[in-house]
Amino acid sequence: MTDLDLLHFEQLKKSVQAQYLTDYTPSFDDISKWKGIDIIYFQEDLRKRAKGNISEKSFYTYFKTCPVTKLPRIDMLNLLSIYAGFDSWYDFKKQNLFAGELLNDEEEIEDDDLKELEKTVSASINLNSETNNSENTTKEELNFTDLQKSNNENQSVIENSVNPEEASKPSVSQPKKNHQRPIWIAVTSIFVILLGLLGFKDEIFQKTYTYHFTDADRNMKVQSDIEIKVIKENESPILYRIKPGESFVYPSKDKTLKMQISSAVYENLEVNRNLENAPKEETIELKPDDYKMALYYFSIKDIKGDNSEQLIQQKRKQLENLISNSAVITQVYDSDIYGLEALDKDDYITLVTTPTTSLKNLNVIEMKKDNKGKIVSIKFKISNNENNP
């Protein structure tokens, strides 16, 4: 890496900014001042144009800092160059040379050349390995042949002398009476029975409990995934995932049961049961959460058709009624420089009602409501699941 490469990267950032501004109007023209919602829309456009993505952490590392002190990986440089309208990072530098700059043609190695080089190195390694194996096999065969050689001329035969009279005498064994045998049989049988009871004590003493889940408003089986966290004293929680329409079957020999039930579209619920007098089968009602349902709807739906705008406006009004005007809304980032960012109510509603790929990775870390049911605090994070740094 040279200082000229860093200058070229600053050029590339300007080209990326100019490309985005041709179709979009972010909160600021300067790419280093873009905020969360601008970054999300840029990521979406990057996926469409260049068929790739960069994480928010990478954006803050390389775009929020000016000038940068290190270059991104070559795959990210190629991705951004393609987005800006060039074939590759090498092509971008080639078409934006500084005065007196010369590019080394050896920087660009075609994929076919790389594959041929890999084949050559692999063939060389295999050839050396086969040669060494062949030499080792030959040595082993020679050693084995030497071991098979024997000199029978010097071998002496030693015969065991047996007295004919002693051989002709039949061997007589005196029968012994074993009065302890029945006792040992009885003791062994009791031990085997006790061992069996000890090995299957859990199956003998435990009971099986079945829990069904229904929608409290619709009186039908829950049609979404459910997560159940079983809490035991002095033990780590055990997480179970229940598919839509299925029941939770829990075998246990404990006297109590504590469950924390959560879902993408239902309110969280904690259930405590005394299993000594609890029924073996029970139905638990889950109450729908309007806020969660709105987010879930936009995270899985691709809004299209003549009434798409009407549906979006309907969900916006729903969220406006649920969220307080003075709500504190915070986005958390995986960045040492920019850890938190505050959003106002309108920006947040726009973010969660615009169907984008990033919305599928939105996770609510914490949400608080007042005594009237209004949401007064939201802390969320958009997870990073791509391979780019």
Side-chain angles (χ1 to χ4, degrees), residues 2-214:
T2 64
D3 292 338
L4 289 178
D5 287 331
L6 294 177
L7 292 176
H8 277 303
F9 182 58
E10 293 299 329
Q11 285 182 321
L12 179 59
K13 288 161 60 175
K14 295 295 183 182
S15 298
V16 168
Q17 173 183 302
Q19 176 61 54
Y20 184 77
L21 291 176
T22 57
D23 296 323
Y24 296 90
T25 306
S27 52
F28 297 93
D29 289 344
D30 188 351
I31 194 171
S32 64
K33 297 181 180 180
W34 289 358
K35 295 186 177 181
I37 194 168
D38 298 321
I39 298 173
I40 291 174
Y41 291 155
F42 167 68
Q43 288 175 318
E44 194 71 16
D45 195 45
L46 185 64
R47 294 186 190 100
K48 293 178 181 178
R49 291 180 179 272
K51 309 302 180 185
N53 189 36
I54 63 172
S55 65
E56 290 176 348
K57 182 178 181 180
S58 295
F59 186 91
Y60 276 94
T61 301
Y62 297 109
F63 286 88
K64 287 286 189 178
T65 305
C66 184
V68 293
T69 57
K70 64 176 182 178
L71 281 179
R73 281 187 346 202
I74 186 63
D75 54 349
M76 179 176 170
L77 292 171
N78 287 332
L79 180 67
L80 294 173
S81 299
I82 293 172
Y83 177 80
F86 300 87
D87 293 336
S88 64
W89 167 242
Y90 179 85
D91 181 50
F92 174 81
K93 292 195 296 181
K94 188 176 181 180
Q95 298 189 40
N96 293 274
L97 291 176
F98 294 107
E101 180 185 7
L102 294 176
L103 282 184
N104 186 1
D105 291 338
E106 293 179 356
E107 289 183 15
E108 185 177 40
I109 302 178
E110 298 294 338
D111 292 340
D112 294 337
D113 295 336
L114 287 174
K115 292 180 181 178
E116 289 298 326
L117 182 60
E118 291 176 356
K119 290 180 181 178
T120 303
V121 174
S122 177
S124 175
I125 294 174
N126 292 336
L127 180 60
N128 291 334
S129 177
E130 292 175 0
T131 304
N132 293 333
N133 291 336
S134 177
E135 291 176 357
N136 293 334
T137 304
T138 304
K139 290 179 181 179
E140 290 178 359
E141 290 178 352
L142 291 174
N143 292 335
F144 183 73
T145 304
D146 292 339
L147 291 174
Q148 295 300 318
K149 294 180 180 179
S150 61
N151 189 356
N152 295 328
E153 296 177 358
N154 297 327
Q155 291 182 355
S156 59
V157 179
I158 301 175
E159 297 182 355
N160 294 329
S161 58
V162 181
N163 192 337
E165 294 181 359
E166 293 179 357
S168 62
K169 292 181 180 180
S171 60
V172 180
S173 59
Q174 297 294 331
K176 296 181 180 180
K177 294 183 179 180
N178 189 356
H179 298 287
Q180 296 179 346
R181 184 177 180 183
I183 298 176
W184 280 110
I185 293 175
V187 172
T188 302
S189 301
I190 294 173
F191 177 75
V192 170
I193 293 172
L194 291 176
L195 187 63
L197 290 175
L198 185 64
F200 294 95
K201 64 182 180 66
D202 288 343
E203 286 76 5
I204 294 174
F205 297 106
Q206 76 178 7
K207 296 180 181 179
T208 300
Y209 303 89
T210 303
Y211 296 94
H212 310 285
F213 301 96
T214 60

Side-chain angles (χ1 to χ4, degrees), residues 320-356:
E320 286 173 357
N321 293 330
L322 290 170
I323 302 175
S324 171
N325 292 331
S326 58
V328 178
I329 305 173
T330 309
Q331 182 175 359
V332 180
Y333 291 98
D334 288 329
S335 173
D336 297 333
I337 303 173
Y338 298 89
L340 299 173
E341 183 175 317
L343 281 76
D344 60 29
K345 177 179 175 180
D346 290 338
D347 286 342
Y348 179 72
I349 292 177
T350 300
L351 172 64
V352 298
T353 56
T354 304
T356 62

